[in-house]
């Protein structure tokens, strides 16, 4: 989890990295492993996070195009330095003050909306590609199955829907040519 992309927020979180180091590492991983799936988590609404720092995080997500991304709102944990940072005072945000819950939720929604657009675009880029898919089950009353690629974590990520009249069982591995994409899911057919 990278948590954030603003150097000041990263420092105050106790992270031992910078935005540029994150960019360099991501670029290196993608150059060495072009088919890599990158996933991470972020925190929004860390005490003192400004509109500008939030905007910087949005730009970072847009530039990095993570394959999978989760965004959580900051919640204070008793005994941590961040929990002791000052409370919000009459809607004025000062450098290390707690962020209003509504602002945190709005920022989280904005970040996830951006990620949804990125995910849909990445799915579109997969059309025409072949993936190895593990079948998890059949779609009721259809000639289709639900499966996952190596990039999809159970219970967290989307699915690969496989259209085929063939009989498959859970645990089968099949090569699937991607023919369509939804926001988080892919659609395909068994490769011949």
């Amino acid at each position: 989890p990278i948590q954030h992309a603003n150097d000041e927020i990263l420092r105050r979180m106790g992270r031992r990295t910078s935005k540029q180091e994150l960019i360099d590492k991501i670029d290196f991983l993608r150059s060495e492993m072009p088919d890599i799936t990158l996933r991470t988590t972020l925190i929004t609404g860390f005490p003192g996070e400004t509109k500008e720092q939030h905007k910087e995080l949005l730009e970072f997500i847009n530039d990095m195009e993570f394959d999978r991304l989760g965004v959580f709102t900051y919640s204070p944990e008793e005994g941590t330095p961040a929990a002791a940072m000052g409370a919000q005072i009459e809607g004025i945000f000062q450098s290390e003050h707690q962020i209003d819950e509504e602002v945190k939720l709005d920022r989280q929604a904005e970040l996830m909306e951006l990620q949804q657009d990125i995910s849909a675009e990445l799915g579109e880029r997969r059309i025409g590609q072949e993936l190895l898919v593990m079948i998890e089950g059949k779609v009721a009353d259809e000639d289709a199955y639900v499966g996952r690629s190596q990039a999809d974590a159970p219970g967290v990520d989307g699915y690969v829907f496989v259209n085929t009249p063939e009989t498959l069982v859970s645990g089968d591995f099949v090569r699937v040519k991607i023919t369509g994409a939804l926001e988080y899911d892919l659609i395909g057919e068994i490769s011949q």
Side-chain angles (χ1 to χ4, degrees):
I2 62 171
Q3 307 298 11
H4 212 280
N6 173 269
D7 289 343
E8 175 63 18
I9 296 285
L10 288 166
R11 184 191 63 75
R12 291 196 349 248
M13 285 179 166
R15 307 295 288 185
R16 294 187 176 115
T17 192
S18 69
K19 177 181 171 183
Q20 189 58 54
E21 289 170 334
L22 293 170
I23 292 169
D24 292 346
K25 185 161 290 212
I26 290 164
D27 288 346
F28 171 77
L29 290 169
R30 286 187 168 145
S31 72
E32 293 295 312
M33 298 174 274
D35 291 337
I36 193 171
T37 298
L38 292 178
R39 68 174 58 243
T40 194
T41 56
L42 303 170
I43 293 176
T44 189
F46 191 80
E49 180 186 59
T50 65
K51 289 179 185 177
E52 292 78 21
Q53 290 166 330
H54 173 70
K55 183 180 177 195
E56 183 179 354
L57 185 56
L58 280 164
E59 290 169 358
F60 178 79
I61 291 169
N62 190 59
D63 293 344
M64 294 298 99
E65 293 187 330
F66 290 103
D67 298 281
R68 308 289 189 267
L69 178 71
V71 179
F72 301 93
T73 58
Y74 168 79
S75 58
E77 287 196 34
E78 192 175 325
T80 63
M85 292 177 180
Q88 177 187 351
I89 302 170
E90 298 175 12
I92 299 170
F93 299 106
Q94 295 183 359
S95 66
E96 291 190 353
H97 289 258
Q98 300 293 328
I99 304 295
D100 182 71
E101 285 301 317
E102 188 175 323
V103 172
K104 288 189 235 181
L105 291 172
D106 288 347
R107 289 178 181 179
Q108 178 189 37
E110 188 176 14
L111 293 163
M112 287 309 299
E113 222 174 278
L114 173 58
Q115 181 58 31
Q116 188 174 37
D117 291 344
I118 290 168
S119 181
E121 184 179 319
L122 293 175
E124 289 289 325
R125 291 182 201 167
R126 290 243 180 237
I127 294 175
Q129 294 180 0
E130 286 190 8
L131 299 175
L132 183 62
V133 173
M134 184 182 79
I135 299 301
E136 288 193 344
K138 186 167 184 339
V139 177
D141 301 322
E142 291 187 35
D143 285 340
Y145 293 84
V146 175
R148 295 191 180 280
S149 73
Q150 67 181 14
D152 304 313
V156 177
D157 296 327
Y159 297 100
V160 179
F161 292 95
V162 183
N163 296 309
T164 182
E166 293 182 33
T167 300
L168 302 172
V169 296
S170 294
D172 281 352
F173 283 88
V174 292
R175 298 233 27 104
V176 175
K177 182 176 183 178
I178 302 304
T179 58
L182 304 169
E183 289 164 338
Y184 295 110
D185 302 318
L186 298 173
I187 301 165
E189 54 194 31
I190 293 181
S191 299
Q192 301 301 329

